[in-house]
Amino acid sequence: MSMLVGRDTELSTVLAGLAALTPRRPTLVEITGDPGAGKTAFLTRLLRELPDGFHAVAAHRWTPTAVARLGRLSRIRPVVAVLDDAHRAEPAGLAAWWHLLDAAPAGRLALVCAYRPRQAPPDLLRPVSGGWTRRLSVPLGALSAPAAQALLPPELPAARRTLLATVAGGLPGLLAVLAVHPELVDPDGTLVLERVVELGPSRPLAGLLGPEADLADQSTRRVLHAVAVLGELADPGAVAEVGQQRRAVVVDALDRLVRLDLLRYPADGHLPQPRHALVRAAAYRDAPARWRAGAHLRAEAALRQRGADPATRGWHLLRAGPAAPRFARLHEVTRELVAVDPPLAARLGALAVTLAPAGDPAARAAALLVQARATAAAGDLTRALRLAQASLDTGPGPDARPGSDPERSTPPDGAARPGPDARPGPETRSGHDGRPGSDPEHGRETRLAAVVLRAELAGLLGHGVSGLAVLAREHAGTAARQRPRLAVAQGRLAARHGRWEELNRLVPEVRAATGAETDAPLAAVDAPMAAVARSTLAAGAAAYGLIEVAVDEVRAAEALVDAMSDRDLAGCLDVPEWLAWVQGVVLQKEEALRHVTRAVGLAREHGQLHVLPGLLAGQARIAAGSGRLTEAITAALEAERVGRSVGARQAVGVALTYRAMALLWHAGPHAAAPVGAEAVRATRDDPTLRDTAVAVLSHIRFAQGRHAEARQLISTLIRPGRGHLHQRHIQPKWLAGHAEFLVAGGMLDEAYVWSQRAEAAAADLGLPIRRAEAQLATAQVLLARRDPGGALAAAQNSVRLFAGQQADLWLGEAHLMAAGCFEALREPGPARDHIHLARVIAERTPSAWLREQVVNAQRRNGAGRRRVAVVTGHDLTQAERRVAVLVAEGLTNRAVAVRLYVTERTVEAHLTRVYRKLGVRSRAALAALLRDGGGPLPSGDW
């Protein structure tokens, strides 16, 4: 596409000025703009479109003879003399130019010059002498969006063209480069410098340096290359170190590059930088390849001395390639980047593996472990598993097979996520010769970390049970002082899969990892390790009904996590995920949501895809249990998407399960049914997750009216001979659900037995919400057995226990059960009160399923019809009757005003008249009067 688009307005302005030429009044036309604005293309188009009869002259070198000839020619026909790149014109030529203007020849003459204002010499910008010369200035700025996109390939998507036009700033010269090389720009608008190296010869890119680079001497050109390598603001000291030049030479060269407009000073800075990212790319491409590698190495050293962040230093080490420094330095930077920039850390880790000393398998094993951790954080869990196995195969230990290929290693049964049990630790320490892992003891610690990592990745990939078996086998051969770290990883996996007896055996070693039983100062305690250990102990305590112990452990873990800075927490984001999971078990849902929300934000900020699905699934789980249905569905959908992209099957299964649960409440059973069935299929290889998915699907089937199928599903979780339940903390809920399903089938005696089992299990567990669920099931059974008094007592206990447990949806169901009991006792007033409270919950959540149950209850009770008192001689107006009914239902004056679209003062006035006409003095008396003596209000009044 030609660069001659989008300048019609400017061209019309110039042509109009030329059409108005008069003798003895020369016109100076100045075409100004930044490099790449298309000034040369504009002049080309102008010369093509000059009216007939005009004589155009391209002026390059001006001599007195040429000037005199133009003056004579202008008497015969209009003359347009064009000077491109006037900012680079020789002084003698500019003097002749101004002499022609000052002399004002007798004919019609226009002098058209194009130049860059930043580089224009003073002689070019001087005012015109005399009053006979007209001056017409035409600046060329950024093209309009449609014109800029017209310069880009039409086959590119519209959004991509818009992004490239924005990156180019609407300048045709930069758009011409991106039209040929759109791959240089990432979807976020970042120009990827390393892709420039992969390009072949590129005339558009090289043209961005223009003649300015040719005008620069060798020293200045080398400084430009050093600035391109650094990429930061051109600090003279750093540029001198990278370019291997004296500081005084660098300062002079920087000034020269600013004058050439290759560098510019930012508006708020005192150090120059490349004029545009593409100019930096052109200068980078212009530098010799071998020199670039060494320059990156020198840049990393200079930036390290100046306290640069690991990501910046790591990029330079990566670009240095085989010229990188000694292995230990590269390994150190890679380890620092795992939490903050996993993709870069993974690439650096691969480079570190190639540079590991050939005769030091422990160092290579440590490098493979860090690469595995970074690869997992970047979202490639399967490859991370192979790398973790390669670390075990390479390093010393019972499974060592030196020299194995990390890409060909056979995956074990299990795999892991980089968590606190396998965080940067032993493999990062330097041995006796300064290399990571070269000390035999450190080599054993590296092996232990790799074993833990491999096992935890197994959990993410859906093979957690086999990973647990791997850890159990490793436990016997591990040194006593290393066992607490291994026990924490083993205990967490045991808790995840409901293997409470196995966790119970590990409690002493897990407790040792908390640091609570040592005299070590708090600063010496491994906070992430201690937080996971305490959370694991809390899960075990809750499973055995020791709720107070569980709460104490959770509080201690929470204090450790809250004391961590975001930077520290970013290195162990599975810690808040596990803490939130345990907090959800002991019903600290608000705190759980706070921790998981913080962790989700950090995972997104640092691109840690390996933990994001699990965190989002945990967020969905907590939000669904708290009645935040929309939030739960949104988080679950994102968890499924990200989890599928990285292969985190466990997180996908959890997300599907709790999306189904949220959809049941939010939209009803028909919307939830396909998601619930998919959740069961997705968790078929994980018994613990499958149990939860089956339980959710059973309730969906029951809500669909498929009672027999619901009973069959729930019976698989509680049938005799099944053995110890994996999830003891949820056992009473399943027993209560089975009792509820039996009632629907008319098996009341059997249902009563199961409801009592649910109550006994809940009492042993000690969780108020489980006792509430068991009491709710008992109320339903007793009501079906025609014992409304006993049912009401159980329902009221359920309401009391649910209150304050952040379980509004279940509280709404308990209110409806209490309403049903009052109806059976022929007490419609209290029944209406409970229905009203359930309706408030349904509207707040919002839950379409609960709202449907409320409507059904209203129809049975008559609470759906508004009632007014019929008092002889005291007729109320329609407005007064509306206010009376709403006040009697418990609404405040402000709520009534909102409902009726009137002011609060109007409500007060109506209520005063209602009190006077009906002879009552309080809201309670008004409610009692309407309840006892009311008749139906005609539907047309509402």
Side-chain angles (χ1 to χ4, degrees):
M1 176 67 70
S2 170
M3 293 171 58
L4 306 178
V5 299
R7 300 299 189 191
D8 294 339
T9 301
E10 294 88 344
L11 184 64
S12 299
T13 301
V14 175
L15 290 175
L18 297 179
L21 288 177
T22 57
R24 297 190 180 278
R25 286 205 67 186
T27 298
L28 174 62
V29 181
E30 296 174 299
I31 310 300
T32 60
D34 277 345
K39 299 181 292 297
T40 300
F42 182 84
L43 291 178
T44 302
R45 182 178 176 186
L46 173 65
L47 294 177
R48 280 210 317 251
E49 300 193 14
L50 282 177
D52 292 339
F54 275 72
H55 181 75
V57 178
H60 297 289
R61 293 191 177 186
W62 294 87
T63 64
T65 302
V67 170
R69 186 182 306 115
L70 283 179
R72 291 193 299 271
L73 183 60
S74 68
R75 298 176 184 178
I76 302 172
R77 62 172 63 182
V79 174
V80 177
V82 178
L83 178 61
D84 195 7
D85 289 335
H87 53 281
R88 287 199 289 264
E90 296 177 356
L94 288 180
W97 176 278
W98 285 110
H99 174 73
L100 185 61
L101 285 174
D102 294 341
R108 290 176 292 172
L109 177 66
L111 301 181
V112 181
C113 64
Y115 62 88
R116 303 175 185 176
R118 291 173 180 268
Q119 296 175 255
D123 288 345
L124 183 61
L125 301 177
R126 76 172 178 83
V128 180
S129 62
W132 49 81
T133 301
R134 291 191 309 156
R135 196 164 196 160
L136 178 62
S137 180
V138 180
L140 300 184
L143 294 175
S144 64
Q149 293 183 37
L151 292 176
L152 296 168
E155 61 270 16
L156 292 177
R160 181 68 173 165
R161 293 201 305 273
T162 300
L163 175 66
L164 294 177
T166 302
V167 171
L171 296 178
L174 303 183
L175 287 165
V177 177
L178 295 181
V180 179
H181 305 298
E183 70 279 5
L184 294 180
V185 178
D186 262 356
D188 63 354
T190 303
L191 191 139
V192 184
L193 192 63
E194 56 200 87
R195 292 180 191 162
V196 174
V197 182
E198 302 166 3
L199 299 177
S202 174
R203 292 183 61 185
L205 188 62
L208 291 181
L209 298 182
E212 283 77 12
D214 297 331
L215 293 172
D217 56 36
Q218 185 62 31
S219 177
T220 302
R221 200 178 187 110
R222 182 52 48 86
V223 168
L224 177 62
H225 294 161
V227 171
V229 166
L230 271 169
E232 307 293 325
L233 296 176
D235 171 70
V239 174
E241 293 176 38
V242 174
Q244 296 177 305
Q245 304 271 0
R246 291 185 296 108
R247 185 183 178 95
V249 173
V250 168
V251 171
D252 290 341
L254 290 176
D255 287 342
R256 194 173 304 115
L257 290 170
V258 170
R259 290 197 300 272
L260 292 173
D261 204 19
L262 291 172
L263 302 183
R264 286 182 180 178
Y265 286 96
D268 56 349
H270 62 283
L271 294 176
Q273 61 187 16
R275 184 181 73 234
H276 189 275
L278 281 171
V279 173
R280 179 196 175 192
Y284 188 81
R285 183 74 176 77
D286 186 61
R290 292 185 63 182
W291 181 89
R292 275 199 310 259
H296 278 296
L297 196 55
R298 295 189 293 274
E300 191 277 333
L303 293 172
R304 178 159 48 91
Q305 292 176 357
R306 289 162 175 78
D309 61 271
T312 302
R313 294 167 49 208
W315 183 83
H316 285 290
L317 290 175
L318 183 65
R319 299 312 309 161
R326 64 189 181 92
F327 167 70
R329 184 162 141 203
L330 179 61
H331 183 73
E332 175 190 358
V333 174
T334 304
R335 175 177 55 84
E336 293 178 18
L337 283 172
V338 168
V340 296
D341 194 342
L344 178 57
R347 297 175 64 189
L348 276 175
L351 178 61
V353 170
T354 64
L355 296 178
D360 191 346
R364 178 176 168 83
L368 283 165
L369 179 58
V370 174
Q371 186 189 1
R373 209 169 272 135
T375 302
D380 192 345
L381 303 182
T382 303
R383 184 163 184 262
L385 175 57
R386 292 200 299 267
L387 291 166
Q389 180 63 48
S391 175
L392 288 171
D393 293 344
T394 303
D399 297 331
R401 291 190 299 274
S404 63
D405 183 353
E407 294 298 322
R408 295 177 178 270
S409 298
T410 303
D413 294 334
R417 153 197 352 211
D421 321 316
R423 19 196 300 275
E427 80 285 356
T428 66
R429 302 173 186 170
S430 296
H432 59 274
D433 62 353
R435 291 198 300 268
S438 59
D439 184 279
E441 181 63 24
H442 296 154
R444 286 190 289 272
E445 291 183 356
T446 297
R447 172 183 169 74
L448 176 62
V451 167
V452 171
L453 179 64
R454 184 180 64 174
E456 290 186 344
L457 279 168
L460 286 177
L461 292 169
H463 305 291
V465 175
S466 58
L468 189 57
V470 170
L471 290 179
R473 289 196 301 270
E474 191 76 18
H475 190 273
T478 301
R481 69 178 190 81
Q482 294 177 329
R483 284 183 180 176
R485 177 180 292 272
L486 184 62
V488 169
Q490 192 176 349
R492 177 164 60 172
L493 275 177
R496 287 278 197 191
H497 295 280
R499 302 197 171 203
W500 305 113
E501 293 85 356
E502 189 169 344
L503 171 59
N504 200 34
R505 292 194 298 270
L506 296 168
V507 164
E509 291 173 343
V510 174
R511 189 170 297 283
T514 66
E517 298 179 355
T518 67
D519 297 329
L522 185 60
V525 174
D526 187 338
M529 176 75 65
V532 171
R534 288 194 176 277
S535 300
T536 303
L537 293 172
Y544 285 97
L546 305 174
I547 300 303
E548 292 184 1
V549 175
V551 170
D552 289 343
E553 294 289 358
V554 164
R555 285 175 180 164
E558 185 179 16
L560 290 166
V561 171
D562 285 340
M564 292 171 131
S565 67
D566 285 351
R567 181 180 178 86
D568 291 338
L569 191 61
C572 50
L573 287 177
D574 60 331
V575 174
E577 181 208 348
W578 177 234
L579 173 60
W581 189 90
V582 177
Q583 284 178 315
V585 171
V586 298
L587 301 177
Q588 295 182 347
K589 295 179 181 176
E590 288 296 332
E591 291 304 306
L593 199 58
R594 177 173 67 85
H595 288 301
V596 79
T597 301
R598 179 188 177 194
V600 165
L602 289 173
R604 286 196 174 113
E605 178 183 351
H606 298 296
Q608 296 197 39
L609 297 180
H610 69 303
V611 293
L612 188 56
L615 289 168
L616 289 167
Q619 190 175 13
R621 171 179 175 266
I622 298 162
S626 304
R628 297 181 168 121
L629 303 179
T630 303
E631 181 181 346
I633 293 169
T634 301
L637 284 170
E638 186 178 358
E640 293 167 35
R641 177 181 61 80
V642 181
R644 288 190 175 99
S645 71
V646 302
R649 294 168 54 189
Q650 183 185 55
V652 171
V654 174
L656 284 167
T657 299
Y658 288 100
R659 179 157 70 95
M661 174 178 158
L663 281 171
L664 173 62
W665 287 104
H666 187 266
H670 295 292
V675 181
E678 186 181 358
V680 172
R681 291 193 298 272
T683 57
R684 60 183 178 274
D685 296 329
D686 190 316
T688 304
L689 296 182
R690 188 179 185 280
D691 285 354
T692 305
V694 166
V696 170
L697 183 60
S698 70
H699 284 276
I700 294 172
R701 295 294 187 236
F702 184 77
Q704 288 180 296
R706 297 161 64 171
H707 298 160
E709 187 176 349
R711 288 196 299 274
Q712 182 182 4
L713 286 169
I714 202 73
S715 65
T716 63
L717 304 180
I718 49 89
R719 66 175 180 264
R722 186 176 188 268
H724 186 69
L725 290 174
H726 290 294
Q727 303 189 66
R728 191 172 183 271
H729 66 281
I730 207 169
Q731 177 183 0
K733 183 179 183 70
W734 294 346
L735 297 171
H738 188 51
E740 179 185 358
F741 300 164
L742 289 170
V743 169
M747 294 170 273
L748 302 184
D749 292 339
E750 189 177 352
Y752 181 76
V753 171
W754 283 101
S755 70
Q756 297 309 296
R757 290 181 182 175
E759 286 199 31
D764 288 343
L765 190 61
L767 286 173
I769 196 168
R770 299 294 172 248
R771 292 169 53 204
E773 291 161 350
Q775 286 282 298
L776 185 59
T778 297
Q780 186 169 357
V781 172
L782 291 177
L783 187 61
R785 296 180 71 178
R786 300 177 185 272
D787 181 4
L792 178 60
Q796 288 177 328
N797 280 338
S798 178
V799 168
R800 177 179 57 80
L801 290 168
F802 273 128
Q805 294 299 314
Q806 302 167 28
D808 284 354
L809 297 170
W810 290 268
L811 178 60
E813 284 203 329
H815 279 301
L816 291 177
M817 176 54 65
C821 295
F822 276 117
E823 289 173 5
L825 293 170
R826 300 184 182 280
E827 297 186 40
R832 281 196 297 272
D833 293 340
H834 281 284
I835 292 172
H836 172 72
L837 293 171
R839 183 179 64 191
V840 171
I841 293 172
E843 292 174 352
R844 183 175 65 243
T845 11
S847 169
W849 178 239
L850 182 60
R851 190 160 55 244
E852 182 178 337
Q853 296 180 66
V854 168
V855 170
N856 292 337
Q858 287 176 326
R859 288 172 180 165
R860 289 194 305 271
N861 180 267
R865 299 177 299 169
R866 304 291 195 255
R867 306 176 70 84
V868 297
V870 181
V871 183
T872 305
H874 298 283
D875 292 336
L876 302 178
T877 66
Q878 291 293 337
E880 290 166 354
R881 292 165 70 186
R882 291 189 179 96
V883 170
V885 170
L886 293 176
V887 169
E889 288 185 356
L891 273 69
T892 64
N893 289 356
R894 177 171 295 182
V896 173
V898 171
R899 181 77 66 86
L900 298 180
Y901 300 100
V902 297
T903 65
E904 193 171 350
R905 181 168 294 182
T906 300
V907 173
E908 293 172 354
H910 285 321
L911 192 57
T912 300
R913 289 192 291 271
V914 168
Y915 283 175
R916 186 181 68 249
K917 291 181 179 182
L918 300 184
V920 296
R921 298 182 178 180
S922 68
R923 304 169 87 90
L926 174 63
L929 178 62
L930 295 184
R931 187 167 59 244
D932 295 339
L937 182 74
S939 59
D941 293 336
W942 286 86

